[in-house]
Amino acid sequence: MNQTQQILFDEPGPRARRRIRIATVIGAVALVGALIAAVQQFASHGELAWSRWEPFTTWPIWRYLLNGLWATLKAAAATAVLSGAFGLLLALGRLSPNRPLRWLAGAYVEIFRTVPALLLIYVTLFALPAYGLNFPLFWKLVVPLVVSNAAAFAEIFRAGIQALDRGQTEAGLAVGLRRSQVMRLVVLPQALLQLAPSLVSQLVGLLKDTSLGFVVSYTELLYSGQVLSTYTQLLIQTFLVVSLIYLAVNASLSKFARVLQARNGRLTGRGRVAAGPDAPTPATSAPSTSATSTSTASSPDPTSPSTSPDPTSPSSTEGSTAR
């Protein structure tokens, strides 16, 4: 168990680990039983017959579904870029020393974190055209998702910036940088590196939000599956295939997030090893330095010309004559 896990919760003891193993086994058995029952029901109703799965071995069906996946990825990419940039501005606004700006950014985040994305899509679809704002079909999906996800990105960015040591900001100000330069050159690069796993994980939820495109008839993956099931009369088979596509894409993003998290953990571990766990702080190293210098000054160096007596010097000769 790493240090972060130890902070979040205590390590379970032998009895707790035994209960966890028992609950895991019971849950796995129940899941396997449910899958077996579902397969038996599908088989009894003829849903596993090859004739009902054969259309999904043809290229036209997959081309249609892949076009829907491409539309989903385009909407997700546009939403991620715009909501990420807008969320970063909101995070900087919430951290601004300007009180009105901080209040406005905080009010936006608190309001749109609680409003469902579906409600925002309905506003874009029905309310805004009455006032002359009729977006194209693509933007009727993207704009509400940007408004909703920008609040979530803002909280992620704000948490990452505040998690950095204040010494980073103070060091930048001490060398003469302005506060904006410190944020742009010192704080944000480190915060974005640490936040990369969280940002990728947020993309998983954002990708699933694009399935709301069926409300505006945007031909993303789920809407394409709905149209395909109506055409082929293969409802269960179509949505199982669509679910597997979503599972593959989201699992890839989750794996990428875990890889980034492990990489950041290795970089942090290397930094701690390089710094050394027992490295003295300036407050404790100063007395030892002064003590060392004092002892060095008080103890003569036999190899130094200034401390070794010269038998040929007049002072040495006078001393020997006096003796």
Side-chain angles (χ1 to χ4, degrees):
M1 181 176 293
N2 56 32
Q3 185 178 4
T4 304
Q5 292 175 336
Q6 292 177 354
I7 293 174
L8 294 177
F9 56 89
D10 295 331
E11 184 176 2
R15 187 176 300 176
R17 287 197 296 267
R18 184 165 54 252
R19 288 197 296 265
I20 292 173
R21 285 195 294 266
I22 293 173
T24 302
V25 171
I26 293 174
V29 171
L31 180 60
V32 171
L35 290 176
I36 293 175
V39 171
Q40 289 178 349
Q41 288 294 322
F42 287 160
S44 63
H45 290 82
E47 297 294 341
L48 298 181
W50 173 247
S51 60
R52 301 187 67 83
W53 292 93
E54 186 178 4
F56 295 96
T57 62
T58 60
W59 171 242
I61 296 293
W62 278 104
R63 181 176 59 189
Y64 183 74
L65 291 177
L66 291 178
N67 287 336
L69 176 61
W70 174 242
T72 294
L73 295 178
K74 286 193 298 184
T79 304
V81 172
L82 295 177
S83 59
F86 191 24
L88 181 58
L89 293 178
L90 289 172
L92 296 177
R94 294 202 69 178
L95 298 173
S96 173
N98 189 344
R99 183 174 296 179
L101 181 60
R102 189 168 64 248
W103 284 354
L104 288 175
Y108 180 94
V109 170
E110 295 300 328
I111 291 174
F112 287 101
R113 283 177 64 193
T114 58
V115 176
L118 182 59
L119 180 59
L120 296 176
I121 291 177
Y122 282 142
V123 170
T124 307
L125 184 61
F126 299 113
L128 294 184
Y131 296 95
L133 293 176
N134 194 5
F135 297 112
L137 197 61
F138 178 79
W139 295 105
K140 285 182 179 179
L141 174 64
V142 171
V143 170
L145 294 182
V146 169
V147 173
S148 178
N149 284 276
F153 276 106
E155 287 300 282
I156 294 175
F157 286 127
R158 185 175 69 90
I161 293 172
Q162 290 182 333
L164 290 179
D165 188 8
R166 286 184 59 87
Q168 303 286 336
T169 302
E170 294 172 356
L173 295 175
V175 298
L177 295 178
R178 295 191 298 273
R179 187 169 295 273
S180 60
Q181 291 177 320
V182 171
M183 181 64 68
R184 179 169 54 89
L185 300 176
V186 179
V187 176
L188 282 182
Q190 299 182 64
L192 291 178
L193 180 62
Q194 297 296 327
L195 289 175
S198 300
L199 295 175
V200 175
S201 299
Q202 180 65 24
L203 292 180
V204 175
L206 189 151
L207 184 67
K208 291 185 292 185
D209 287 343
T210 58
S211 61
L212 297 174
F214 75 94
V215 178
V216 297
S217 299
Y218 178 68
T219 55
E220 41 80 35
L221 180 58
L222 186 61
Y223 185 72
S224 299
Q226 183 179 354
V227 174
L228 183 62
S229 65
T230 304
Y231 175 74
T232 60
Q233 299 298 316
L234 300 174
L235 179 65
I236 294 177
Q237 290 78 8
T238 300
F239 282 104
L240 281 177
V241 171
V242 169
S243 300
L244 290 177
I245 295 175
Y246 273 115
L247 180 63
V249 175
N250 289 331
S252 301
L253 288 175
S254 300
K255 178 63 177 177
F256 184 53
R258 289 194 296 270
V259 169
L260 290 177
Q261 187 175 6
R263 179 177 177 274
N264 288 342
R266 288 194 298 269
L267 291 177
T268 304
R270 290 175 184 175
R272 290 174 181 173
V273 171
D278 300 327
T281 59
T284 58
S285 61
S288 61
T289 306
S290 60
T292 305
S293 59
T294 304
S295 61
T296 304
S298 60
S299 59
D301 186 4
T303 62
S304 174
S306 60
T307 58
S308 59
D310 187 2
T312 60
S313 62
S315 59
S316 174
T317 305
E318 292 174 359
S320 61
T321 303
R323 283 196 298 272

